[in-house]
Amino acid sequence: MGILSGFFSEDLAIDLGTVNTIVYAPTQGVVLNEPSVLALHKYTREVLSVGSQALKLLGREPNDTEVHRPIRRGAIDNFEISQEFLRTLISRVQHNDHPKRSHLVIGVPGSSTPLERRSVRDAARDAKAGRVDLLDEGLAAGLGAGLDFEDEQAHLIVDVGGGTTNIAILAWGGVVSSVSIPAAGNAMDEAIRDYLRLRYSVQLGERTAEQVKRELGRAWDYKYGEAAQKEIEVVGKQLANGTALPITINSREVSGALEPVLSEIISAVRRVIEDSKPEVTADIFYSGVTLTGGGALLSGMVERLQNDLNLRVSVPEDPLTTVALGPLRELHERAAGTS
């Protein structure tokens, strides 16, 4: 527990992500950054581990253990598991001798349904949160990226997360339009697994597919020559007989596997721009695109967006934490407004 055991704040900002959950506190910064994974005892339902420790069990869990990813595509997949996950996270940043209930501000996808939003709110409340406010992830990403909303100029945010890509147009500190699509980090991992299954008749694990994406994945092939081709060896499970099979895969193969997902993201951004009003379109021409989320770290992603959209693309210093930083800025602004 370390420094967390002595910390408590009534206000907490949470990026409840499909891959990682980040918790910010106004005076402490990041107090928790863990994979969104929970391990339970199959029969007693006792929480065995959460976050990185639970992730280590994924695909290798003992017979009496269940490993869950409670968030899927940016929404709650299992209410009871999500409630237990949130309760465990909140308890890790609370001081045991300070039983106040937290005020949580949580980012949610812009296209989430009322039922999905209610599920997030109810799970947080059932996890002993006192007050829960939800913030559009597009707005959260823009706030976290430090965009200035004091003037009327519109800004385009593309947040490529694990479960969803959120695309939002923001102006005057509010959301003009917002959509979310499932083409994101997890879809890229699955595309790599599908390619290997079809090309080599090999089944690859989730964590290995993510490793392949990180090491070989790239969004814009034109910037690379033949000499820049990379390859790695991975071990998969043969579909025919279930035995292990090492295969060598190169960056060009991975780029091809990722292309349908990347094309879907580009098409969705284009649709948002095309559906915007002329004044907004003109603003975006000058303000460009702010790219956030883990997808911003994919090699060549900035160049791909610039090339396909013919717009300037900027990335904040830490694109992984912008959705959690946004609610934190919101808390600061509310506090300043009431002081």
Side-chain angles (χ1 to χ4, degrees):
M1 302 284 282
I3 192 173
L4 296 181
S5 61
F7 165 78
F8 179 79
S9 171
E10 291 184 73
D11 292 326
L12 296 173
I14 299 181
D15 176 10
L16 192 61
T18 302
V19 176
N20 280 76
T21 293
I22 303 173
V23 180
Y24 265 88
T27 59
Q28 303 288 325
V30 178
V31 294
L32 189 139
N33 185 351
E34 293 280 1
S36 301
V37 185
L38 183 75
L40 295 175
H41 192 282
K42 186 178 294 184
Y43 307 111
T44 67
R45 312 310 291 171
E46 174 190 0
V47 176
L48 301 177
S49 58
V50 66
S52 56
Q53 293 301 315
L55 182 63
K56 292 177 181 179
L57 296 173
L58 189 63
R60 305 183 180 95
E61 55 267 36
N63 290 332
D64 61 353
T65 302
E66 295 177 350
V67 180
H68 297 272
R69 290 188 180 270
I71 312 300
R72 296 281 181 179
R73 294 184 175 179
I76 284 181
D77 183 60
N78 182 304
F79 181 83
E80 292 183 3
I81 300 299
S82 299
Q83 174 187 325
E84 199 63 59
F85 177 68
L86 280 170
R87 181 185 291 116
T88 303
L89 292 186
I90 293 171
S91 68
R92 289 183 62 178
V93 297
Q94 280 185 330
H95 194 290
N96 293 334
D97 298 327
H98 200 320
K100 286 185 180 179
R101 290 156 69 86
S102 300
H103 168 209
L104 305 183
V105 182
I106 304 176
V108 294
S111 299
S112 56
T113 65
L115 178 60
E116 289 170 339
R117 288 173 175 258
R118 187 166 67 246
S119 294
V120 173
R121 195 186 301 273
D122 290 348
R125 284 175 175 164
D126 289 346
K128 307 305 181 185
R131 174 184 168 189
V132 181
D133 290 325
L134 305 182
L135 190 67
D136 185 293
E137 284 186 351
L139 178 57
L143 287 168
L147 294 183
D148 182 11
F149 296 130
E150 292 302 318
D151 59 30
E152 72 275 12
Q153 188 176 46
H155 301 265
L156 177 61
I157 309 295
V158 179
D159 179 59
V160 185
T164 59
T165 291
N166 294 284
I167 306 160
I169 295 176
L170 312 176
W172 291 110
V175 179
V176 176
S177 63
S178 180
V179 299
S180 58
I181 60 172
N186 285 356
M188 295 180 194
D189 298 341
E190 193 58 35
I192 292 170
R193 298 179 72 194
D194 288 343
Y195 171 78
L196 293 174
R197 190 181 299 115
L198 293 172
R199 175 68 175 82
Y200 298 102
S201 298
V202 164
Q203 183 180 8
L204 206 63
E206 292 180 30
R207 296 173 64 186
T208 306
E210 185 179 4
Q211 175 194 351
V212 170
K213 177 185 68 181
R214 287 198 309 266
E215 296 191 22
L216 299 183
R218 59 201 194 195
W220 200 53
D221 214 30
Y222 305 110
K223 65 180 285 191
Y224 298 94
E226 289 296 329
Q229 293 298 310
K230 292 176 57 179
E231 60 182 32
I232 61 172
E233 182 182 86
V234 294
V235 178
K237 182 177 181 179
Q238 293 189 79
L239 298 178
N241 54 28
T243 59
L245 178 68
I247 58 173
T248 299
I249 183 170
N250 63 56
S251 51
R252 189 170 296 281
E253 290 179 283
V254 175
S255 295
L258 297 181
E259 183 55 33
V261 181
L262 295 168
S263 294
E264 188 174 347
I265 293 172
I266 297 294
S267 296
V269 177
R270 281 197 179 117
R271 286 196 300 271
V272 169
I273 297 173
E274 289 169 0
D275 292 342
S276 64
K277 294 180 179 179
E279 291 84 356
V280 171
T281 305
D283 284 348
I284 293 171
F285 177 80
Y286 291 107
S287 61
V289 178
T290 300
L291 176 63
T292 66
L297 303 179
L298 182 67
S299 179
M301 191 65 173
V302 170
E303 292 85 354
R304 175 65 181 271
L305 287 174
Q306 289 179 160
N307 181 75
D308 287 17
L309 301 175
N310 197 27
L311 292 170
R312 177 178 56 84
V313 177
S314 61
V315 179
E317 182 178 350
D318 188 359
L320 288 171
T321 61
T322 51
V323 174
L325 272 172
L328 185 64
R329 282 190 63 189
E330 180 81 356
L331 286 173
H332 279 306
E333 290 176 7
R334 289 180 186 179
T338 56
S339 61

